């Protein structure tokens, strides 16, 4: 039953995103009197037929058997169906290739436009319906864990911020600290340290220091928690080391690491080395050898809930709409930074890249509407961004060629488009197979070796 709930949530979310994305192409195509031959949820590639289909006018509507996406087949356009037979004939007035470049550009941008709008709208409705969760400062059991930039400038792990300048700090809001330092030139921060109020005086160039080091607001501070394991990512390492969910990590070699921030900071010193992890399991203290990855991780998640209270700030409809856009842009910013870290090798592609299996598991085994809509909004924005990448076979590839045509006045030939889309399609297919392979290894095969 749990598996059915998980798959049902994922398929509903995916279907919603695909249908609305393809409607973004379908509606402007029809508005510009361009013939749409097929509108499909999921792919109906050979060797199997579509699960369901119906002909309405000039368009065949259907559901394919392969849930990796969907498509609209627009007459006179080279697409992922690789059906180029019609391109050998003279262009017809109802074909995509016969339309002005600006109309073709609108048709191609329709899908990503819908996904961006949908993502922002869903984030806004989440705020309107559920509010925004926040952590009250006075509920912090162990204070806050800080970015190294703040530590170097007077903060200590476990400090609880009381005031930024003369303004109280009742909620854990990293953006308030950034705003105070960068915009309001605040230099004095009042913290509670070891039960007493103390004042930290920041240097005059603190704003430049934070800017130069590109400190992320979301990583600037977080509630400090013990290192109690909630989830294990690397099954093979877990089995070899003997680490279990519920273990509390308290040391690396001879260094105490009671708190999670201490553990993550110290494990970075042992990249690609074997260390001795000290932990508490029920009433026993154990010492286990663990291999650290090249990125300085051992593949664990620690429990964060239960050490502080979570309250909610509610929004009216007018307030929620702009905040929804801010939430969407913040999500996209974090994803772009994560992709950048992967390309630079600072975080592991193997541990962080996943296929539909990994995405589907995020929905959980119980139906939670807030989680469902949050994931749907996030995937909508991520789908929009990924489709804008200038790769042939993606919307961004077509947009790139159309912009070239608008700027130069020269149209890219159909034969070149056909070759480019073929190359792009196989590149994407290779990436999907690689991601699927990682997931199969991660979730199925790793325990066998």
């Amino acid at each position: 039953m749990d598996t059915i709930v998980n798959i049902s949530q994922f398929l509903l979310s995916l279907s919603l995103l695909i249908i609305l994305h393809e409607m973004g192409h379908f509606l402007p195509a029809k508005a510009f009197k361009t013939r749409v031959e097929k509108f499909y949820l999921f792919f109906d590639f050979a060797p199997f037929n579509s699960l369901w289909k119906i002909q309405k006018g000039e368009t065949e509507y259907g559901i394919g058997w392969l849930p990796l996406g969907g498509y609209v087949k627009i007459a006179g356009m080279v697409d992922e169906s690789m059906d180029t037979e019609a391109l050998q004939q003279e262009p017809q007035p109802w074909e995509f290739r016969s339309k002005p470049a600006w109309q073709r550009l609108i048709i191609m941008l329709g899908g990503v436009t819908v996904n961006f709008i949908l993502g922002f709208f869903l984030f806004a409705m989440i705020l309107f319906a559920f509010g925004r969760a926040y952590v009250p400062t006075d509920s912090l059991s162990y204070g806050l864990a800080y970015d190294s930039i703040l530590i170097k400038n007077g903060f200590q792990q476990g400090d609880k911020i009381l005031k930024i300048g003369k303004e109280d700090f009742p909620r854990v809001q990293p953006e308030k600290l950034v705003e105070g330092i960068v915009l309001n030139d605040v230099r004095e921060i009042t913290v509670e340290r070891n039960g007493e109020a103390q004042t930290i005086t920041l240097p005059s160039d603190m704003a430049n220091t934070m800017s130069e080091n590109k400190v992320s607001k979301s990583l600037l501070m977080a509630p400090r928690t013990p290192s109690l394991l909630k989830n294990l990512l690397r099954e093979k390492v877990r089995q070899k080391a003997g680490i279990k969910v519920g273990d509390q990590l308290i040391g690396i070699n001879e260094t105490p690491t009671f708190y999670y921030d201490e553990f993550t900071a110290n494990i970075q010193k042992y990249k690609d080395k074997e260390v001795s992890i000290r932990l508490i399991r029920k009433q026993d203290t154990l010492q286990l050898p663990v291999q650290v990855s090249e990125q300085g991780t051992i593949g664990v998640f620690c429990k964060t809930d239960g050490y502080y209270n979570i309250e909610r700030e509610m929004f009216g409809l007018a307030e929620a709409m702009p905040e929804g856009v801010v939430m969407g842009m913040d999500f996209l910013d974090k994803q772009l930074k994560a992709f950048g870290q992967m390309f630079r090798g600072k975080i592991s592609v193997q541990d962080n890249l996943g296929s539909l299996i990994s995405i589907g598991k995020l929905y959980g085994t119980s139906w939670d509407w807030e989680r469902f809509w949050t994931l749907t909004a996030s995937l909508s924005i991520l789908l929009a961004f990924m489709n804008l990448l200038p790769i042939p076979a993606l919307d961004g590839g077509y947009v790139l060629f159309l912009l070239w045509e608008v700027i130069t006045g020269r149209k890219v030939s159909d034969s070149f488009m056909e070759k480019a889309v073929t190359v792009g399609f196989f590149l994407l297919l290779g990436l999907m197979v690689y991601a699927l392979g990682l997931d199969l290894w991660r979730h199925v095969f790793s325990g066998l070796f």
Side-chain angles (χ1 to χ4, degrees), residues 391-408:
I391 300 173
L394 291 178
D395 295 346
Y398 292 101
V399 169
L400 181 66
F401 292 135
L402 285 169
L403 288 175
W404 168 263
E405 181 179 344
V406 169
I407 294 170
T408 66

Side-chain angles (χ1 to χ4, degrees), residues 91-109:
Q92 300 299 316
W94 61 80
E95 289 186 337
F96 179 81
R97 55 181 171 160
S98 298
K99 303 300 177 182
W102 66 271
Q103 290 186 4
R104 284 180 278 136
L105 190 59
I106 290 174
I107 292 171
M108 293 314 305
L109 286 173

Side-chain angles (χ1 to χ4, degrees), residues 281-296:
R281 180 179 299 161
K282 296 181 181 179
Q283 305 301 320
D284 300 323
T285 300
L286 306 177
Q287 199 106 1
L288 300 175
V290 176
Q291 178 66 37
V292 183
S293 73
E294 294 179 356
Q295 289 72 38

Side-chain angles (χ1 to χ4, degrees), residues 7-33:
I7 293 174
S8 298
Q9 289 185 84
F10 176 54
L11 288 179
L12 177 60
S13 178
L14 186 64
S15 299
L16 178 66
L17 293 176
I18 292 170
I19 289 172
L20 292 177
H21 177 91
E22 299 306 335
M23 285 293 289
H25 297 305
F26 178 83
L27 292 178
K30 298 294 283 186
F32 295 134
K33 302 187 186 310

